[in-house]
């Protein structure tokens, strides 16, 4: 696979993977003690993994090797984007393009169509939540974050997003709880540590002022 990866030939790489290995064989590599094998498995799952791989990938988020944990994180995001049905993924792609072009209204429209085409497509709710957050529509954003986590309980990004919404709405305790839930899944969310510290400091200051 090395020459294909060096050429960044994704299509040929996927073909070789499907020809030589089953999904279960790739997943099993993640449970070995061989670090390079685990890294390759995470890379492969970022290309062909399904939602059935998310649990074993999430365990690699706890791994002390930062390269592996980052590759596992990337694989999970890649899988989340892929697991909608074909119609939903078409709308999702249009929503992503609209968001990249700063067309927030268009992004919301397409992400909404993605959720309508596949109500179980968690990432469509999560991406719409991000757009709502940019528009400071925090309650709507929070509802979508909750919808995403209900459909995908390992979605640390959506839990962190819910924390951002609660913080913006002044719900300090709820924000901290959501951030801590995100950290339990992915302990490498360093920005979340800072946000929790800031919220606790602000909460402590307010308690002193109230007393």
């Amino acid at each position: 696979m090395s020459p294909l990866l060096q050429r960044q030939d994704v299509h040929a790489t996927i073909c070789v993977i499907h020809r030589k290995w089953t999904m279960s064989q790739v997943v099993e590599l993640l449970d070995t003690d061989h670090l390079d094998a685990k890294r390759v498995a995470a890379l492969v799952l970022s290309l062909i993994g399904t939602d059935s791989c998310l649990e074993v990938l999430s365990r690699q988020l706890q791994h002390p090797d930062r390269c592996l944990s980052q590759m596992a994180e990337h694989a999970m995001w890649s899988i989340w984007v892929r697991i909608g049905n074909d119609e939903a993924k078409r709308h999702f792609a249009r929503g992503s393009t609209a968001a990249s072009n700063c067309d927030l209204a268009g992004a919301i429209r397409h992400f909404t169509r993605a959720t309508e085409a596949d109500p179980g497509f968690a990432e469509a709710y999560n991406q719409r939540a991000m757009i709502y957050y940019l528009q400071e529509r925090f309650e709507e954003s929070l509802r979508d974050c909750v919808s995403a986590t209900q459909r995908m309980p390992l979605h640390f990004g959506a839990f962190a997003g819910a924390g951002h919404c609660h913080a913006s709405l002044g719900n300090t305790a709820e924000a901290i709880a959501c951030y801590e839930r995100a950290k339990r899944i992915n302990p490498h969310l360093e920005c979340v540590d800072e946000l929790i510290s800031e919220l606790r400091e602000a909460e402590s200051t307010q308690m002193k002022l109230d007393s």
Side-chain angles (χ1 to χ4, degrees):
M1 286 176 54
S2 294
L4 296 174
L5 293 172
Q6 289 170 0
R7 293 203 306 269
Q8 298 184 348
D9 191 336
V10 175
H11 177 71
T13 300
I14 292 173
C15 288
V16 169
I17 293 165
H18 282 304
R19 189 168 67 248
K20 291 183 175 291
W21 299 285
T22 65
M23 184 76 71
S24 61
Q25 287 174 324
V26 176
V27 169
E28 285 173 5
L29 289 176
L30 283 173
D31 283 329
T32 68
D33 294 327
H34 194 291
L35 182 58
D36 285 341
K38 293 164 80 75
R39 289 174 177 173
V40 170
L43 172 63
V44 168
L45 293 178
S46 73
L47 298 174
I48 66 166
T50 64
D51 55 348
S52 65
C53 307
L54 289 168
E55 180 67 37
V56 68
L57 278 167
S58 71
R59 294 200 292 271
Q60 309 311 312
L61 298 175
Q62 312 287 328
H63 199 281
D65 181 74
R66 192 67 185 101
C67 179
L68 174 59
S69 64
Q70 287 177 331
M71 294 176 76
E73 180 178 327
H74 174 71
M76 292 179 73
W77 281 105
S78 298
I79 291 169
W80 288 333
V81 169
R82 284 201 300 269
I83 58 179
N85 64 33
D86 288 343
E87 182 183 355
K89 285 189 286 190
R90 284 194 293 272
H91 289 303
F92 185 92
R94 291 169 187 150
S96 298
T97 299
S100 296
N101 293 329
C102 297
D103 177 11
L104 302 188
I108 288 174
R109 184 169 62 253
H110 288 299
F111 289 137
T112 298
R113 288 175 180 170
T115 65
E116 292 168 348
D118 186 348
F121 190 9
E123 191 55 31
Y125 293 95
N126 185 54
Q127 292 296 318
R128 189 173 65 181
M130 294 182 188
I131 303 301
Y132 281 145
Y133 188 84
L134 290 174
Q135 295 179 321
E136 299 186 357
R137 296 162 68 177
F138 302 126
E139 292 183 354
E140 290 164 286
S141 179
L142 178 58
R143 281 197 293 272
D144 270 352
C145 288
V146 172
S147 293
T149 59
Q150 288 173 337
R151 290 159 175 79
M152 191 61 61
L154 290 171
H155 205 311
F156 52 84
F159 278 114
H164 299 334
C165 294
H166 277 302
S168 297
L169 291 167
N171 305 327
T172 301
E174 291 85 349
I176 291 173
C178 288
Y179 286 145
E180 289 180 336
R181 180 69 180 272
K183 283 281 293 182
R184 283 197 294 274
I185 302 169
N186 186 356
H188 296 289
L189 298 175
E190 296 174 0
C191 63
V192 170
D193 283 328
E194 297 174 8
L195 292 169
I196 291 173
S197 296
E198 290 173 5
L199 286 171
R200 284 181 172 154
E201 184 177 347
E203 189 176 43
S204 176
T205 301
Q206 187 60 50
M207 289 176 63
K208 290 176 182 177
L209 290 173
D210 292 342
S211 62

